[in-house]
Amino acid sequence: MIKYYIFFLIIIFPNYGFSKSIVADLSSDSISINTGFNGAELLLFGSFDGLEGDDLVISVEGPKADTIIYKKEYVSGIWINRENVTFNNVPSFYYTVYSNTKMSLENLELLKREKIGTANLELKTIKKLRLENLNVWRNSLDRRMRKKGIWVLSKGVGSESIEIKNNKLFRAPVVLPATVLPGEYKVSILHLRNGKIISKENTKISVQKTGLEAKIYNFAHEYSILYGIFAILLAICAGYIAAFSFRKI
Amino acid sequence: MYIYLPIAEVSMNIFAIVGLGGMVGFLSGLFGVGGGFLMTPLLIFLGIPAAVAVSTEANQIVASSVSGVIAHWRRKNVDFMMGFVLLIGGIIGSSFGVWLFAFLKTIGQIELVIRLAYVVFLGLIGFLMAWESTKAILKSRTPGASRGKLHQHNWLHGLPFKIRFRRSKLYISALLPLFIGAFVGVLSAIMGVGGGFIIVPAMIYVLGMPTAVVVGTSLFQIIFVTANVTFLQSITTQTVDVVLAGLLMLGGVIGAQIGSNASSLLRGEQLRGLLALLVLAVCFKLFMDLTLTPTDIFSLDIIR
């Protein structure tokens, strides 16, 4: 009941009380990885009450997974993975948008405190490393993730990053590549001014394997013995059919 | 048109996969080679994770070997006794190979070992095929060839546990085919190949089998070895992608039929030379990937 009441107030008095809040929504909040899946493009849109020079920061953080970084060394003529470092709970996808190309120092400090953006993630390693050594590995992680297109930072307004109208309305496309892991994607929108959060909104996208794709994946992992037998039988049938359908008369 | 492969977890153009299956199938129909040694590296180049490429290709080879062996069976060109001894070795070898594969995967060296194995064996067969086809082309210009003995005897024939192989007209130690089967089984698990390119020359030159029964017998044993690899990879690493395998089978079947029909129309030696060049090109690409200074010496692997 109270929910409807608040909703009613927002509609009737958009410039009172709630005017400082961001209101945001996604064009779709659930994505299905099915047979035809080749990435997805969503639209994050909403309103806020901004002034000239304010910053909007959007972040989309994917499910976490342990990630190993290997370092190659030149050993007797070939490049071989030698040392490696495992980072725990690394977001498998991280998309950040800054509405301004040059953000103020206070606002950047704030993002650091709020741990927003890949540079501000606190990542732990299994092995204990010296700080300067850790930084080398940490930077490599950043570089490889960006290279793979799964950690993305875009700055400034534009149709590719974020569009803002009259400091009131915003719309930002969120592109999930075809390699995304299933799980929950946390979306947060921050409205910053002079090193302070004016308002904040969180939402989420859920990415799931559905249909035949999900069934096959679960079959392979939960009933792997049956799956193996099924794969072999499939191959034997295919070979048998092939041999007889093309039999020369 | 894209299709999301459930185990490989990548999105691929469906025509690219069927086309690749068809192309490799065409070559295998044309030359009577299995094609696994070309398919697996090409799948890796397309962006399929190496582990999935190897396991899935083993699954596809089951299908192509079944369809191949039926034709040889009808002509009674399968030595079941020999095939049986080979496959016992093959099952031992491939089981060890799958274990080794899983171990190498955990220490992060599987990609390296797969690539190294390919560089060595593709280099070897590419070179041998190029050598043989040049020899054949030269020979076709100079008539007259000599006939040798059925096979030569050497120390290998003195080993114990002798068995009579009737179809092959051989009385040799069972240890020999057992060992060959085991060796090829290990390669089969690690490289995702049937291993025909090793087992066929080994049968002719080491065991001294008559060439007529060689292909049928090797196909017979490859079915069981690759089925074993498919099964063990399914339960240990879950890297067999049946959707990918099914699409490759579809392309492969059609390609192999066109290839085997075309083989009667085309000149053999020149084509064999071309295949040799193709094999050497793939080998060269893999070799350069290993030896050229990488743009970034760091690489990453996300663990699910």
Side-chain angles (χ1 to χ4, degrees):
Chain A
M1 190 61 215
I2 189 111
K3 226 163 115 184
Y4 291 109
Y5 182 62
I6 291 169
F7 186 65
F8 176 75
L9 282 179
I10 293 171
I11 293 170
I12 302 296
F13 308 106
N15 293 320
Y16 301 88
F18 302 95
S19 61
K20 288 218 153 88
S21 301
I22 297 175
V23 180
D25 200 3
L26 285 156
S27 57
S28 167
D29 55 9
S30 79
I31 301 290
S32 310
I33 299 182
N34 51 27
T35 313
F37 183 72
N38 188 26
E41 186 171 338
L42 305 169
L43 189 68
L44 180 68
F45 59 92
S47 67
F48 68 113
D49 191 23
L51 296 173
E52 198 61 42
D54 285 2
D55 286 321
L56 272 189
V57 174
I58 296 169
S59 70
V60 181
E61 186 183 351
K64 293 180 165 95
D66 288 356
T67 303
I68 310 179
I69 298 286
Y70 292 103
K71 186 181 174 188
K72 284 196 178 68
E73 265 171 52
Y74 198 59
V75 181
S76 55
I78 53 171
W79 289 89
I80 292 178
N81 287 337
R82 288 296 287 269
E83 281 180 87
N84 66 72
V85 166
T86 306
F87 287 94
N88 296 123
N89 299 322
V90 180
S92 59
F93 178 81
Y94 207 113
Y95 178 58
T96 324
V97 187
Y98 297 169
S99 62
N100 288 320
T101 40
K102 271 215 166 293
M103 210 189 291
S104 69
L105 274 173
E106 303 113 290
N107 284 356
L108 284 173
E109 273 301 310
L110 179 76
L111 290 182
K112 205 170 208 171
R113 283 203 301 278
E114 293 286 315
K115 300 193 183 70
I116 300 281
T118 54
N120 303 324
L121 288 171
E122 273 179 11
L123 297 175
K124 294 210 164 56
T125 55
I126 293 175
K127 271 185 269 185
K128 286 272 168 284
L129 295 169
R130 278 182 301 143
L131 191 65
E132 65 267 37
N133 212 345
L134 179 69
N135 284 339
V136 173
W137 291 94
R138 183 64 174 77
N139 291 339
S140 312
L141 175 72
D142 254 79
R143 192 173 59 249
R144 294 317 302 169
M145 292 300 240
R146 272 185 274 125
K147 182 93 185 166
K148 276 193 159 211
I150 49 182
W151 280 13
V152 184
L153 169 62
S154 69
K155 292 178 181 175
V157 288
S159 60
E160 303 270 291
S161 53
I162 183 168
E163 288 175 292
I164 295 177
K165 218 170 214 173
N166 302 330
N167 292 317
K168 286 277 183 291
L169 296 172
F170 70 90
R171 49 182 280 158
V174 176
V175 179
L176 300 180
T179 52
V180 288
L181 296 186
E184 203 159 87
Y185 285 67
K186 284 181 263 175
V187 182
S188 91
I189 308 120
L190 291 181
H191 175 196
L192 309 180
R193 185 186 298 158
N194 305 325
K196 286 197 182 67
I197 299 176
I198 303 297
S199 71
K200 187 175 175 176
E201 167 81 312
N202 292 312
T203 176
K204 63 186 188 235
I205 309 165
S206 101
V207 177
Q208 288 156 325
K209 290 195 177 185
T210 57
L212 192 61
E213 264 38 47
K215 286 200 179 76
I216 293 172
Y217 184 87
N218 292 337
F219 184 29
H221 282 82
E222 283 162 31
Y223 305 98
S224 46
I225 294 177
L226 278 178
Y227 181 86
I229 294 169
F230 169 74
I232 295 166
L233 288 179
L234 178 87
I236 291 173
C237 292
Y240 206 73
I241 293 167
F244 281 92
S245 55
F246 288 99
R247 187 176 180 174
K248 282 180 191 137
I249 308 151
Chain B
M1 200 173 108
Y2 281 83
I3 185 162
Y4 184 83
L5 302 169
I7 305 295
E9 298 186 303
V10 287
S11 183
M12 280 273 160
N13 190 325
I14 195 164
F15 300 110
I17 301 172
V18 177
L20 180 68
M23 195 190 79
V24 176
F26 177 77
L27 291 175
S28 60
L30 199 58
F31 300 110
V33 293
F37 64 93
L38 274 177
M39 187 73 96
T40 309
L42 291 175
L43 286 175
I44 295 171
F45 294 159
L46 271 184
I48 305 281
V52 177
V54 167
S55 309
T56 305
E57 184 48 21
N59 191 16
Q60 195 223 334
I61 294 170
V62 176
S64 59
S65 306
V66 166
S67 81
V69 87
I70 288 170
H72 287 277
W73 194 346
R74 282 197 208 108
R75 285 178 235 133
K76 297 199 164 49
N77 283 341
V78 182
D79 183 337
F80 286 102
M81 190 63 194
M82 179 64 85
F84 186 67
V85 177
L86 281 168
L87 83 84
I88 289 178
I91 285 177
I92 297 167
S94 57
S95 303
F96 172 72
V98 171
W99 175 84
L100 190 65
F101 188 96
F103 172 72
L104 290 168
K105 202 171 171 229
T106 54
I107 61 165
Q109 300 295 358
I110 189 65
E111 301 260 345
L112 174 75
V113 174
I114 291 172
R115 280 167 189 272
L116 269 180
Y118 268 102
V119 168
V120 170
F121 285 101
L122 288 183
L124 206 68
I125 44 170
F127 176 75
L128 286 175
M129 272 166 34
W131 172 255
E132 207 187 72
S133 61
T134 18
K135 231 172 56 180
I137 292 169
L138 291 176
K139 209 174 185 179
S140 65
R141 292 180 190 152
T142 51
S146 62
R147 267 203 69 176
K149 271 165 71 174
L150 190 62
H151 59 263
Q152 258 127 36
H153 280 259
N154 53 32
W155 65 272
L156 291 171
H157 293 82
L159 290 169
F161 306 112
K162 286 200 168 190
I163 295 184
R164 193 168 296 283
F165 298 100
R166 293 191 189 283
R167 279 297 296 133
S168 305
K169 302 186 183 73
L170 282 174
Y171 181 61
I172 55 165
S173 165
L175 291 178
L176 267 179
L178 205 65
F179 177 77
I180 292 170
F183 177 70
V184 176
V186 175
L187 291 184
S188 183
I190 289 180
M191 298 171 70
V193 294
F197 64 89
I198 301 209
I199 215 160
V200 167
M203 282 164 147
I204 298 172
Y205 299 113
V206 182
L207 301 181
M209 282 170 68
T211 39
V213 296
V214 159
V215 176
T217 309
S218 83
L219 283 173
F220 172 75
Q221 85 99 23
I222 285 169
I223 294 172
F224 293 91
V225 173
T226 49
N228 187 42
V229 172
T230 305
F231 182 70
L232 292 177
Q233 292 285 21
S234 296
I235 60 176
T236 53
T237 56
Q238 284 100 28
T239 45
V240 178
D241 194 316
V242 286
V243 175
L244 178 59
L247 291 172
L248 291 175
M249 285 172 203
L250 180 70
V253 162
I254 298 166
Q257 291 306 320
I258 301 172
S260 64
N261 288 336
S263 65
S264 54
L265 306 171
L266 298 163
R267 288 283 302 277
E269 297 86 41
Q270 275 89 342
L271 281 171
R272 205 169 281 271
L274 278 178
L275 179 65
L277 285 183
L278 181 64
V279 167
L280 287 174
V282 174
C283 170
F284 183 71
K285 161 96 172 81
L286 286 165
F287 179 71
M288 292 317 266
D289 288 348
L290 285 174
T291 52
L292 282 183
T293 309
T295 44
D296 192 343
I297 59 168
F298 291 93
S299 60
L300 111 182
D301 188 17
I302 298 171
I303 308 166
R304 314 281 164 88

